[in-house]
Amino acid sequence: MEVSKDSIEALVKMMKEEMLFDIDPYSFVSPSAYDTAWLAMVPADSNQPCSMEPMFRVCLDWVLKNQTQEGFGESVTLMATPPSSLCLLLWLLLLLSKSGMWGRKMRRKVSNQISVERLAFIRANAENLLAGHQNQFPRWFAIVFPGMIELARKTGLDLDFPHHLKGLLLDIFFEREQILESDKELAAGGAYPSLLSYLEVLPSLYASNEQEIMKNLSGDGSLFQSPSATACAFMATGKKDCLAYLQSLIEKCGNSGVPPTYPMDEELIKLGLANQLQRLGLSEHFTQQIEEILAQVYQTYTKESSSEKSNSVASVATQLQKDSLAFRLLRMHGYNISPWSLCWFLNDDEIVDHIEKNQEFFSSVMLNVYRATDVMFSGEHELEEARSFSKKVLEKVVSKGTGSDNDVFTKSSTFQRMMEEELSLPWVARLDHLEHRAWIEQNEMNALWPGKTCFHRISRAKNEKLVQLAVADYEFRQSIYKKEMAELKSWCLKWGLSDMGFGREKTMYCYFAISASLSLPYDSHIRMLVAKSAILITVADDFFDMEASLNDLNILIDAVTRWDGTGLGGHSKAIFDALDNLWCETFASWLMEANWSKSGYMASTDEYLRTATTSIAAHTLVLPASFFLKSSSPNAEISPSAAEYKTITKLTMLIPRLLNDIQSYQKEIEDGKMNYVLLYMKENPDANIDDSITFMRDLIDRKRKELLKHALMDGLSDLPVESRRLHLSCMKVFQMFFNSSNRYDSNTEMIQDIQKAIYVPIDVGTWKPLVPVPSQSGSNKEFQTTISCQQLVLRPFKYQKRRILGYRASLPIARRGYVNMFITPNFRLSFA
């Protein structure tokens, strides 16, 4: 069915009514099946744990209600990787197997949820889910997964994994032991006892030290705001404050499942929503809602100093995620926000050290810190340091994926690709329309911020509605762009611009550049205006460069100059005169360069730039178009001479010229034309080509930051914000054209981007099945999950030459009758 403007407006209205006027964070964020299941394990009566129902019946009901054939809940909220899904499935099976602690009616209900097929599913897919990591397990997984296996064994679940996975499983257990030893050393040195937040899977670690648990309880009775850890702490200590915390959590969440963290930062959730709307390309539909969110957040940041930031390494990830989102969004919307609101963590050696030692856990946070530094201004050295630090962390995480093509934690994941793309192509060289498409197609990456074992995520139902709206908006834009592209091609044919017999035919490139760089209103005339101007500039520039004689050029210049505005007055005459001057000075600059080339004259760098910044013709694109924007420019803003252009316009003329010269100097040596790369070496005899390019790139970097400040901040230019954003988009287009090559002159390099922007429908992906496991009845039912099959890559295990009989585990939680929940066993890994 064809998307219409009316259908999009109806979707927007529905979204505003359902989720944007009054955000309830506990319905907006996906529940955590892991934490909800832990609360379901708490017995109602400490004196009769085996015969009574669970204390939090709504949690058990939620788990049972949200089961699928594989055992997953409404949404998998562990780290969204195959191993985390296996962890969650193990835990849900563990919960379901604990039917002995409830009454007869409940036992029947629970036992119906346990099937041989689910256990077979785990065995059949364990290799796909775990194999091939080369000892690159996330810290959380190395802690949680062994705990899940131990608890499952204790409840009698038969988890006989294939024999050839023995070494892999032992690797994971060994890694946990290393983590335990490392954290003991850190604790001895006074460092934060982070392992205590995993109490539920490490009960033996603190079972004999109740004081350690009590010492780390927060004022609200929680253990690090973790529902699962606090549930375990309550069962271990019977502390009433813990119970009050859990009861408050249930009262808040009702029958919707509990979140990974409680309480949650409501401002962070709202920032996550604003970020999601912007990255999906929907911000223009929710301008007022986003502004209200940012105004509220800005008030918080103006009252808060960097010294008030949490220095607890447990909460630093959440704080940094909030600060990075806030900094980027606030600065992009013109708020005056200090770099130290983001960079405060650099002054804390313990936090820096903790990030460096837990790079994978902090990778999503560091990606957002890195993205926040995209909008740094000149002289903000603290942001330079934050960018350098976050880049170093990301590069190390990315490099871990190079050793195995089947690394499900890194290289094969969507997040791995996101990190690689962010590092390889700067934000200023990416166009908004394609950025929106990429984010829509990565719609499963709806993570808000990382938690202990899971990301806090936008709920599946709400995210699907957002993605539905984003797809509709994108494809409606594509339908408009297709029609306008066809009109533009007809216009070029009508005026003979497509078959001049010389030069470059760049109709598609010119239209793609303006349509993909700025989310203009559906019915905007600016796309066609700028595209036609760019086509004329390309044809005329090639005519001056390669086709016409000096006599032909002088005759053309005279004709353009005689463009007659007789009879015009008032605003009409001012606009005509300004446009007349823009084109006249651009043509004059092309004539000057033609004279230089044909006479062999060598200009100075300053003289060259005075002409070359005009001949690049960026100002002839942005200034006339500014008249047609929502807030049209005052007449005086399009000045009669280059000397009177606003700073932002001069920067928009300079940066594209330097970018173009870096990518075209080799061709211009052959053509005998001037170029800043060559002129710089002439004025600096000791410099070579690399020195010249390095100087120019440094200059571009400084000028780009200056332009960014003029584009985003009020008070530096009296151009309206829409015009300033058009200048910024123009600069980004030239950065895209000339970032690492001359894409504009290539006939093939941009075709794929053009197809994705205008013609190819969006692919939001489909779920692929894992290995099917036939049911006991012989049916051919396939179990579906969000995890795609991975190629099996076996490797030598470091334990193959060792004789290991088993792993002994003691898992007691003995307090006021709760001894019946976990029994101390002698635990042995068993292999088929």
Side-chain angles (χ1 to χ4, degrees):
M1 183 176 67
E2 186 174 346
V3 180
S4 68
K5 184 178 179 181
D6 289 342
S7 65
I8 292 174
E9 290 176 348
L11 281 172
V12 170
K13 182 180 179 181
M14 179 190 70
M15 294 298 295
K16 289 180 178 179
E17 291 174 349
E18 284 190 4
M19 56 185 291
L20 294 178
F21 284 129
D22 184 20
I23 301 173
D24 177 5
Y26 297 92
S27 64
F28 191 80
V29 177
S30 281
S32 164
Y34 176 84
D35 290 271
T36 305
W38 257 108
L39 265 71
M41 296 285 279
V42 179
D45 191 327
S46 62
N47 297 317
Q48 297 180 340
C50 293
S51 60
M52 302 300 292
E53 291 190 349
M55 178 175 291
F56 303 116
R57 172 71 176 272
V58 292
C59 292
L60 179 63
D61 289 343
W62 183 90
V63 172
L64 298 178
K65 180 181 178 181
N66 286 277
Q67 291 302 292
T68 65
Q69 289 293 340
E70 303 83 16
F72 295 95
E74 179 265 350
S75 65
V76 177
T77 57
L78 284 155
M79 288 295 189
T81 62
S84 64
S85 301
L86 182 60
C87 245
L88 177 57
L89 183 54
L90 278 173
W91 179 242
L92 294 180
L93 286 174
L94 173 63
L95 169 64
L96 297 176
S97 71
K98 297 293 292 183
S99 58
M101 66 181 288
W102 301 304
R104 187 174 303 170
K105 180 178 179 182
M106 184 59 63
R107 281 201 301 270
R108 286 198 300 269
K109 183 176 181 181
V110 173
S111 61
N112 289 336
Q113 295 288 329
I114 304 176
S115 64
V116 176
E117 287 95 334
R118 283 181 179 148
L119 294 173
F121 178 86
I122 293 178
R123 297 191 195 103
N125 290 283
E127 190 164 29
N128 285 344
L129 294 168
L130 293 176
H133 302 300
Q134 297 194 355
N135 201 29
Q136 294 181 27
F137 302 106
R139 182 176 184 275
W140 72 265
F141 181 77
I143 296 171
V144 172
F145 185 63
M148 294 292 97
I149 292 180
E150 291 171 346
L151 296 173
R153 294 285 186 181
K154 283 162 40 109
T155 59
L157 286 179
D158 183 12
L159 295 176
D160 287 340
F161 293 97
H163 180 76
H164 58 270
L165 291 183
K166 175 180 68 174
L168 177 61
L169 292 169
L170 291 173
D171 281 354
I172 300 172
F173 274 84
F174 180 75
E175 187 167 341
R176 182 179 69 166
E177 289 306 300
Q178 289 183 314
I179 292 171
L180 293 177
E181 289 300 320
S182 173
D183 273 61
K184 286 179 183 178
E185 295 175 5
L186 290 174
Y192 187 82
S194 56
L195 274 181
L196 191 55
S197 63
Y198 294 93
L199 178 65
E200 71 275 9
V201 289
L202 296 171
S204 60
L205 191 64
Y206 295 99
S208 60
N209 193 352
E210 184 177 318
Q211 290 183 348
E212 188 70 16
I213 297 175
M214 302 289 285
K215 183 176 70 175
N216 285 280
L217 290 179
S218 302
D220 59 5
S222 73
L223 197 59
F224 309 123
Q225 283 74 52
S226 167
S228 53
T230 307
C232 189
F234 171 63
M235 289 187 286
T237 67
K239 183 73 173 175
K240 291 183 179 180
D241 289 348
C242 295
L243 178 59
Y245 167 86
L246 297 174
Q247 290 171 334
S248 172
L249 170 60
I250 295 300
E251 183 179 353
K252 179 69 176 179
C253 300
N255 58 0
S256 302
V258 304
T261 303
Y262 178 78
M264 291 188 288
D265 187 328
E266 296 191 22
E267 282 192 351
L268 176 52
I269 295 173
K270 292 180 181 180
L271 281 169
L273 171 61
N275 180 64
Q276 186 78 343
L277 290 171
Q278 186 161 302
R279 299 198 72 175
L280 288 172
L282 300 175
S283 57
E284 66 181 290
H285 298 296
F286 302 96
T287 303
Q288 179 182 345
Q289 288 75 24
I290 292 174
E291 284 296 340
E292 289 174 355
I293 290 172
L294 296 183
Q296 175 187 336
V297 171
Y298 184 65
Q299 287 185 351
T300 299
Y301 276 80
T302 54
K303 297 174 183 177
E304 183 182 64
S305 67
S306 59
S307 61
E308 295 173 325
K309 303 287 186 181
S310 171
N311 61 0
S312 163
V313 296
S315 58
V316 68
T318 302
Q319 186 66 56
L320 269 179
Q321 185 81 352
K322 179 179 181 179
D323 293 342
S324 57
L325 287 178
F327 183 84
R328 183 182 178 96
L329 288 169
L330 288 171
R331 180 158 281 190
M332 287 293 291
H333 285 77
Y335 287 89
N336 184 18
I337 183 167
S338 168
W340 282 114
S341 66
L342 170 65
C343 303
W344 58 272
F345 72 98
L346 296 171
N347 290 332
D348 192 313
D349 293 338
E350 183 182 347
I351 289 178
V352 169
D353 181 66
H354 185 71
I355 294 172
E356 290 176 335
K357 290 180 178 178
N358 297 276
Q359 293 172 352
E360 185 167 273
F361 175 81
F362 280 95
S363 58
S364 64
V365 176
M366 288 295 102
L367 181 60
N368 277 288
V369 171
Y370 185 78
R371 293 187 73 250
T373 62
D374 285 337
V375 289
M376 77 173 79
F377 301 152
S378 298
E380 293 183 328
H381 304 297
E382 57 272 55
L383 285 174
E384 293 277 8
E385 185 180 353
R387 187 173 184 84
S388 176
F389 177 79
S390 57
K391 182 179 181 181
K392 180 179 68 173
V393 171
L394 293 173
E395 287 175 340
K396 288 183 178 179
V397 173
V398 167
S399 69
K400 291 181 180 180
T402 59
S404 169
D405 290 336
N406 191 44
D407 187 349
V408 298
F409 287 110
T410 52
K411 190 168 184 178
S412 64
S413 70
T414 301
F415 184 64
Q416 173 80 3
R417 293 194 300 271
M418 288 171 58
M419 290 189 292
E420 291 172 348
E421 291 167 3
E422 198 74 40
L423 292 171
S424 63
L425 188 65
W427 167 72
V428 290
R430 301 197 297 266
L431 303 186
D432 289 354
H433 187 55
L434 290 177
E435 285 283 274
H436 298 155
R437 180 186 180 117
W439 194 249
I440 294 168
E441 291 181 335
Q442 295 168 353
N443 65 84
E444 75 276 13
M445 295 302 294
N446 60 331
L448 295 171
W449 74 92
K452 182 178 71 179
T453 60
C454 66
F455 280 108
H456 300 73
R457 295 180 179 275
I458 298 175
S459 73
R460 176 177 295 178
K462 289 181 171 62
N463 191 60
E464 284 179 351
K465 290 179 181 179
L466 286 174
V467 172
Q468 178 188 2
L469 175 58
V471 170
D473 181 81
Y474 192 94
E475 293 186 347
F476 183 62
R477 286 188 173 279
Q478 283 185 315
S479 68
I480 294 172
Y481 297 167
K482 289 175 191 175
K483 293 176 183 177
E484 291 183 348
M485 178 70 84
E487 292 174 11
L488 194 61
K489 289 180 178 179
S490 298
W491 177 81
C492 289
L493 288 171
K494 176 182 178 180
W495 295 101
L497 299 175
S498 299
D499 53 359
M500 299 292 286
F502 66 88
R504 301 160 291 177
E505 203 291 304
K506 297 297 179 183
T507 302
M508 291 182 68
Y509 282 25
C510 293
Y511 181 79
F512 160 74
I514 178 59
S515 62
S517 64
L518 198 62
S519 296
L520 294 164
Y522 299 140
D523 57 355
S524 175
H525 300 293
I526 293 175
R527 288 185 295 271
M528 295 296 279
L529 170 64
V530 174
K532 289 178 180 179
S533 299
I535 292 167
L536 284 172
I537 289 168
T538 302
V539 171
D541 183 47
D542 288 345
F543 181 70
F544 275 75
D545 280 349
M546 60 182 68
E547 181 65 18
S549 66
L550 284 177
N551 185 55
D552 291 335
L553 298 181
N554 281 302
I555 292 173
L556 176 59
I557 289 288
D558 180 63
V560 171
T561 304
R562 285 186 287 103
W563 187 30
D564 191 0
T566 303
L568 295 176
H571 294 322
S572 298
K573 179 171 175 53
I575 294 172
F576 177 86
D577 290 344
L579 295 173
D580 184 22
N581 180 75
L582 279 176
W583 284 101
C584 285
E585 71 171 8
T586 301
F587 273 75
S589 70
W590 291 334
L591 180 60
M592 178 66 74
E593 290 181 342
N595 278 314
W596 287 348
S597 178
K598 295 181 186 299
S599 66
Y601 175 75
M602 293 293 290
S604 67
T605 53
D606 290 341
E607 184 181 9
Y608 169 77
L609 286 179
R610 282 196 297 271
T611 297
T613 53
T614 302
S615 67
I616 197 70
H619 63 310
T620 64
L621 301 176
V622 296
L623 293 180
S626 293
F627 279 118
F628 297 90
L629 289 167
K630 183 178 179 181
S631 299
S632 60
S633 299
N635 297 330
E637 297 306 337
I638 299 185
S639 307
S641 67
E644 298 179 31
Y645 289 142
K646 302 297 180 184
T647 299
I648 190 172
T649 303
K650 292 179 180 179
L651 292 168
T652 306
M653 298 163 71
L654 172 64
I655 294 170
R657 167 49 63 197
L658 296 176
L659 288 168
N660 177 277
D661 281 11
I662 289 175
Q663 299 301 337
S664 63
Y665 74 88
Q666 291 176 320
K667 181 178 183 297
E668 289 172 350
I669 290 176
E670 299 170 2
D671 295 342
K673 296 177 62 179
M674 259 184 280
N675 182 290
Y676 194 91
V677 174
L678 309 176
L679 293 176
Y680 178 85
M681 290 193 297
K682 178 177 177 293
E683 294 184 359
N684 298 271
D686 294 334
N688 57 29
I689 291 286
D690 290 339
D691 296 330
S692 181
I693 292 176
T694 298
F695 171 82
M696 292 172 67
R697 290 196 186 281
D698 290 342
L699 179 59
I700 290 170
D701 185 62
R702 295 196 304 272
K703 296 301 182 182
R704 186 191 299 120
K705 292 172 183 174
E706 188 180 350
L707 185 151
L708 193 60
K709 188 172 185 177
H710 279 78
L712 299 180
M713 306 303 293
D714 292 331
L716 299 175
S717 170
D718 51 6
L719 286 173
V721 64
E722 292 85 359
S723 177
R724 302 197 317 259
R725 292 303 179 95
L726 185 61
H727 280 72
L728 176 59
S729 295
C730 181
M731 183 272 288
K732 290 186 66 177
V733 164
F734 279 94
Q735 186 80 50
M736 179 271 298
F737 281 144
F738 303 115
N739 183 62
S740 57
S741 64
N742 188 340
R743 300 184 78 199
Y744 191 70
D745 286 352
S746 169
N747 291 324
T748 59
E749 195 170 340
M750 291 175 56
I751 295 301
Q752 184 178 4
D753 283 350
I754 293 172
Q755 291 291 327
K756 290 169 71 174
I758 301 176
Y759 299 105
V760 179
I762 281 187
D763 177 16
V764 293
T766 56
W767 305 135
K768 299 180 181 179
L770 279 170
V771 179
V773 181
S775 67
Q776 295 300 303
S777 61
S779 68
N780 293 320
K781 182 190 304 179
E782 289 189 353
F783 295 104
Q784 300 291 323
T785 181
T786 59
I787 312 303
S788 62
C789 294
Q790 304 291 336
Q791 180 183 1
L792 302 185
V793 179
L794 300 181
R795 63 187 177 86
F797 298 112
K798 59 190 177 186
Y799 289 101
Q800 280 184 340
K801 295 184 179 180
R802 299 187 187 181
R803 178 181 173 86
I804 297 183
L805 299 178
Y807 185 94
R808 184 182 175 90
S810 178
L811 305 167
I813 296 185
R815 177 78 178 190
R816 299 182 180 88
Y818 291 95
V819 66
N820 292 310
M821 179 153 181
F822 298 116
I823 303 172
T824 306
N826 288 332
F827 171 68
R828 225 178 259 282
L829 286 176
S830 176
F831 301 97

